[in-house]
Amino acid sequence: MLEVLTNAPLNTVQDLGRPESISYGVACGGAMDCNAFTLGNILVGNSPDAAGLEIVFFPFKIRFQQDCVFAITGAPAKVRLDAVPLPSCWSMMARAGQTLVMEAPEKGMRSYLTVAGGLDVPRVLGGRATDIKGGFGGFEGRGLQKGDLLPCGKSTTCSMPTNGLGLAALPQLPHKNGLELHVLPAAEYEEFTQESQACLVQQQWRITTQANRVGFRLEGDTSLQTRRPLSLLSHGLLPGTVQVPPSGQPIIQMADANTCGGYPKIGIIAEPDLSLLSQMPPGGLVTFRMITHEQALTRFRAHRQHLRQLAEQIDAAKAYILTQ
Amino acid sequence: MRINYAGVDAFLLDMSEGAFQDAIQARIWGLEQLLTDMPEIQTVILGANNLLVTYDCERHQASAIRQMLQTAWEQAGSAHITPRELVIPVTYGGLEGEDLPFVAKTTGLSESEVVALHTGTPYRVAMVGFSPGFGYLTGVPQPLAIPRRNTPRVHVEQKSVCLGGGFTAVTPSPGPSGWHVLGKAHCPDLFDAGANTPCLLKAGDIVRFVSA
């Protein structure tokens, strides 16, 4: 069990979401930075879909009520296990009774805590992620409160060097004034004026304070316009879709987006960019760069391949260290 | 049919020809049934005269999936659905139907004429989406097919009977909405995450409203 020592209603149990339930109108959900989340599961030897914590509210404290292999990934929070500071992107064994304290990161928005065996909360509609809007999934369908006891699943591979292990090359977080988002044209791209198509990639876009798990609203000096008024019938919507409402200021759909919408779509952002975007603070600046589907696919496949290689390297490193 | 990318691993198939058409939707239900049985397809999301699919883009070529979708649409007939019929009593107007006067004014009808029109016809669930258990009901009589509110309401109660953009619906959960609220439905919960069948409404179902 993990005992939560801080009230933190925006810190939630997440996994990789419940894509198979989108047809019920249920948000896909899951970790916003699924890249960092997957890395956390790799470090503790879990399958990629094991449940962990998404932490956006600091300081955050938990007490381990059992011996437990854990990892911290994502935004580099200042982490202490009892009095001992831990490096970023690190995994190790905690002993029963030890307390983990996470202070706000200087860069990035979301840190992840994974435990070997995963958090053993019930699977609802195919996933363990918390759906805050719907009030289901995760731990009692809500964010975490002081006193919550989070059960850990059985872990098969929790061997770990005494001082733990981490990554030599830390994953880079985006600079708050310069994330370039690769975007592929969506269904209504051609319906936008040439000026708007140019504007999309030429001007900087500021992330507004309306940036949360549902969507990131952007603002730019010049708004985007279609050639003629469009009235679209409602259609399925996936995280990563860049919608342009009548205001002309784009909204990027994120993990907890509604499953249907009707605003014109100018583009689509895929992984690994969506994970990077989730680490950008309000006020941060992004630019767009158009790519073809083929280029997006190459980036996506390279990203997946990289994660698979990391998993193999970490397994090999653990096996090597433990035989020494 | 127009096919566009909706993600690195997703296509949006748009079959719409202007305003929403029931016949197109029936064939889309048929297509959904075909696609659900195909191992290459991961997720199918029904829209209004359109449909979105996702697939494993590490295993399958986009061009092959696109061709498969094209062929499936050509083969798809209207779905064989034996519709369930639900009758939902509604308290129209008053505090729980605060837009009834506005809808009457906009359409040039009396409030009781609006209610008579709204209860006088069967609706079909075109699709479930937007929020958990939210069913888009089609078949709204032409005079009631009015645009959505200019400014969305910040809060609309659960089980509100709403009208907007040519559709009508019962809200499964409280939340913001740009639709006009006509009344309060008296029906079981429209969504239960723990149930074997989480949604009360299913695409193809027939819904009738009666004045409570």
Side-chain angles (χ1 to χ4, degrees):
Chain A
M1 295 273 202
L2 306 184
E3 182 187 356
V4 177
L5 303 178
T6 331
N7 278 322
L10 294 177
N11 294 352
T12 50
V13 174
Q14 293 296 340
D15 61 3
L16 294 180
R18 37 177 75 83
E20 63 273 41
S21 292
I22 295 180
S23 54
Y24 295 131
V26 171
C28 181
M32 287 275 277
D33 183 345
C34 53
N35 183 28
F37 181 79
T38 302
L39 192 55
N41 271 330
I42 289 174
L43 280 168
V44 298
N46 284 345
S47 68
D49 65 337
L53 293 184
E54 179 171 276
I55 298 147
V56 297
F57 181 85
F58 303 90
F60 181 65
K61 294 183 199 180
I62 56 148
R63 185 183 295 128
F64 292 96
Q65 295 206 336
Q66 66 189 74
D67 291 359
C68 178
V69 167
F70 70 97
I72 309 274
T73 57
K78 297 181 196 73
V79 184
R80 292 191 314 275
L81 184 62
D82 286 342
V84 181
L86 303 185
S88 294
C89 231
W90 198 254
S91 65
M92 68 184 292
M93 166 81 88
R95 296 295 173 188
Q98 286 193 299
T99 300
L100 187 80
V101 180
M102 300 173 68
E103 309 265 5
E106 277 172 14
K107 201 177 178 188
M109 298 297 288
R110 297 158 206 284
S111 304
Y112 292 91
L113 169 64
T114 49
V115 295
L119 294 174
D120 189 17
V121 294
R123 216 177 250 283
V124 180
L125 293 168
R128 293 190 169 90
T130 311
D131 187 316
I132 293 225
K133 267 194 298 176
F136 59 85
F139 187 79
E140 297 182 356
R142 58 168 172 79
L144 300 178
Q145 290 171 8
K146 192 174 171 178
D148 286 348
L149 292 173
L150 310 175
C152 301
K154 274 214 176 69
S155 112
T156 46
T157 55
C158 75
S159 52
M160 181 59 72
T162 319
N163 294 322
L165 61 81
L167 297 184
L170 292 180
Q172 289 300 303
L173 285 174
H175 188 276
K176 71 174 170 58
N177 287 334
L179 173 63
E180 185 182 64
L181 294 167
H182 297 80
V183 59
L184 59 147
E188 284 76 52
Y189 177 78
E190 295 295 342
E191 299 281 352
F192 285 83
T193 62
Q194 280 191 347
E195 294 76 24
S196 289
Q197 291 175 1
C199 199
L200 177 71
V201 293
Q202 282 165 5
Q203 80 179 358
Q204 283 193 315
W205 296 92
R206 186 179 300 277
I207 298 171
T208 68
T209 50
Q210 287 173 291
N212 52 39
R213 287 190 50 88
V214 176
F216 275 36
R217 283 176 182 261
L218 308 182
E219 63 186 11
D221 291 341
T222 309
S223 59
L224 306 176
Q225 306 298 337
T226 50
R227 293 172 211 278
R228 56 194 171 102
L230 290 181
S231 133
L232 303 175
L233 291 168
S234 286
H235 51 260
L237 204 57
L238 296 173
T241 307
V242 186
Q243 286 186 321
V244 182
S247 71
Q249 303 285 348
I251 307 172
I252 305 178
Q253 301 299 307
M254 301 301 276
D256 285 352
N258 292 325
T259 68
C260 269
Y263 291 137
K265 306 162 291 298
I266 197 168
I268 302 145
I269 292 162
E271 291 297 349
D273 295 33
L274 212 47
S275 282
L276 292 170
L277 176 63
S278 79
Q279 295 290 2
M280 291 289 282
L285 298 174
V286 299
T287 52
F288 290 106
R289 178 180 182 173
M290 298 308 298
I291 55 172
T292 62
H293 180 260
E294 206 159 316
Q295 290 167 322
L297 194 57
T298 305
R299 281 174 60 77
F300 180 83
R301 285 180 171 163
H303 166 67
R304 287 289 178 91
Q305 181 62 17
H306 172 66
L307 285 174
R308 278 191 291 266
Q309 280 169 351
L310 267 183
E312 284 169 19
Q313 287 165 4
I314 288 166
D315 281 351
K318 275 188 201 170
Y320 175 76
I321 296 167
L322 291 166
T323 57
Q324 296 304 295
Chain B
M1 176 179 68
R2 298 170 292 281
I3 303 189
N4 280 288
Y5 287 113
V8 69
D9 58 352
F11 283 112
L12 178 64
L13 284 57
D14 186 358
M15 296 77 159
S16 67
E17 295 164 16
F20 178 88
Q21 292 181 36
D22 289 314
I24 295 177
Q25 196 68 8
R27 196 168 150 205
I28 289 177
W29 295 333
L31 176 64
E32 183 205 18
Q33 289 176 348
L34 285 178
L35 296 178
T36 306
D37 293 336
M38 292 182 176
E40 294 89 344
I41 300 300
Q42 289 177 326
T43 315
V44 182
I45 310 174
L46 281 174
N49 284 186
N50 60 62
L51 175 145
L52 188 150
V53 296
T54 70
Y55 60 95
D56 182 347
C57 65
E58 287 196 283
R59 290 182 57 193
H60 302 291
Q61 294 289 335
S63 54
I65 298 290
R66 184 190 275 261
Q67 185 55 53
M68 209 183 81
L69 293 168
Q70 191 74 51
T71 309
W73 176 240
E74 282 154 19
Q75 288 171 349
S78 295
H80 299 289
I81 293 178
T82 313
R84 296 177 309 162
E85 193 167 329
L86 288 92
V87 177
I88 299 179
V90 180
T91 309
Y92 284 94
L95 283 176
E96 293 176 318
E98 52 186 330
D99 293 325
L100 181 59
F102 176 86
V103 172
K105 200 175 146 208
T106 307
T107 54
L109 300 165
S110 70
E111 292 184 20
S112 54
E113 284 169 332
V114 170
V115 172
L117 269 178
H118 195 255
T119 53
T121 182
Y123 301 95
R124 279 202 103 172
V125 180
M127 80 267 197
V128 172
F130 181 68
S131 70
F134 187 99
Y136 287 77
L137 302 179
T138 61
V140 173
Q142 199 50 45
L144 297 183
I146 58 173
R148 296 173 187 195
R149 287 172 55 87
N150 285 333
T151 315
R153 278 185 200 287
V154 178
H155 186 85
V156 167
E157 290 298 329
Q158 185 182 34
K159 296 186 193 175
S160 294
V161 177
C162 298
L163 192 65
F167 294 98
T168 186
V170 184
T171 56
S173 51
S177 170
W179 296 29
H180 306 277
V181 181
L182 295 183
K184 176 84 171 180
H186 304 282
C187 62
D189 283 345
L190 284 100
F191 181 75
D192 177 357
N196 281 335
T197 314
C199 301
L200 178 69
L201 300 179
K202 226 174 74 186
D205 284 351
I206 293 172
V207 174
R208 289 172 191 275
F209 294 112
V210 294
S211 197

